[in-house]
Amino acid sequence: MSSKDVSAESLIYPAVMIIVVGMHYLLLNSTQSIQWATYLPVAIGAVSIAFLEWQYPFRYEWYPDCTDIGHDLTFMLLVQVLLPRLLSFFVAVTLLAALNQNELTVNLGWPHEWSVVAQVVLMLLVADFFRYWLHRAAHEWAQPLWRLHAVHHSPKKLYWLNVGRFHPLEKSIQFLFDAFPFILLGVSAEVLALYFIFYSVNGFFQHCNVKLQLGPLNYIISGPELHRWHHSRIIAESNTNYGNNLIIWDTLFGTRYLPENHEVQELGLLNRNYPISFIAQMKTPFVSDLDQG
């Protein structure tokens, strides 16, 4: 591999992130609604990564077929897009409305006076800390959580769209850890929007089938080079790299894993016949040891 190739692979992640964040601020400054300024950059990020997968695949055998795309698109639309919006709406019209009606406020010292970027960084650190332990518990300590989480580990290939493959019950639990506390604290829409953009596009990258390198960012960001190991079929390899957006907590607690000059092999669960359809995977967590074959 030439130094030119290495340089190009190192630029892919930061370039896309700079583009989507820059687009977000351009749209905000052009008096577009915050919804447009949030969802359009995320959509552009998804299209960009899909194009990069086609042009610079990490593995050709990870190309999705029509069946993969159909199932994963269903998960993305229903579980990643619709469900969080319904949960956020429920929180807004019930709990927050009740608190406001009774003149109760939640004030635990969130630094609303900080800059938007500083608040997003704090949000990433706090949310990732709780998600780290939830994720680790699902793999190492809590069998009911693992049965739910096994849905996410069922694919035998990674590409950007199957980042959304989560059981809705697990997604609801995740909501309690990463979005709900910040909504309750009254974190501003501007902060939540920028967090959502990074969260979404970094998630697409985590699962992407793109040949890239994050270099020193692998000590900060939970990106694809780390996350591929988390999807290894070998349990000792998959019980690592729990970070949702950041890898900092894995480094601190000794679960970061990125061997040199070695690539992950088989992905997925021990049971190679684990059902893959959306309907079937709504029931799989309630079948004992199905992930084991």
Side-chain angles (χ1 to χ4, degrees), residues 100-167:
N100 291 333
Q101 184 177 1
N102 292 282
E103 298 183 350
L104 299 173
T105 58
V106 178
N107 186 1
L108 298 177
W110 182 261
H112 297 281
E113 70 281 4
W114 288 11
S115 70
V116 169
V117 172
Q119 289 185 63
V120 169
V121 171
L122 178 60
M123 201 174 160
L124 285 167
L125 288 168
V126 174
D128 256 59
F129 177 80
F130 290 112
R131 282 289 297 272
Y132 171 88
W133 289 109
L134 175 66
H135 197 175
R136 189 169 179 179
H139 277 256
E140 300 183 29
W141 305 314
Q143 186 62 24
L145 283 178
W146 167 248
R147 289 185 190 176
L148 292 173
H149 190 56
V151 168
H152 185 68
H153 281 263
S154 60
K156 302 179 183 71
K157 62 184 77 170
L158 291 179
Y159 73 111
W160 76 273
L161 189 58
N162 65 12
V163 68
R165 186 176 282 261
F166 283 101
H167 195 279

Side-chain angles (χ1 to χ4, degrees), residues 90-108 180-186:
F90 176 77
V91 169
V93 301
T94 56
L95 181 58
L96 292 183
L99 289 172
N100 291 333
Q101 184 177 1
N102 292 282
E103 298 183 350
L104 299 173
T105 58
V106 178
N107 186 1
L108 298 177
F180 174 72
F182 302 103
I183 295 173
L184 199 60
L185 286 168

Side-chain angles (χ1 to χ4, degrees), residues 210-229:
V210 179
K211 195 172 184 180
L212 46 61
Q213 296 183 4
L214 267 66
L217 287 176
N218 280 317
Y219 290 95
I220 302 172
I221 304 298
S222 179
E225 292 172 282
L226 289 153
H227 197 70
R228 288 163 185 160
W229 290 102

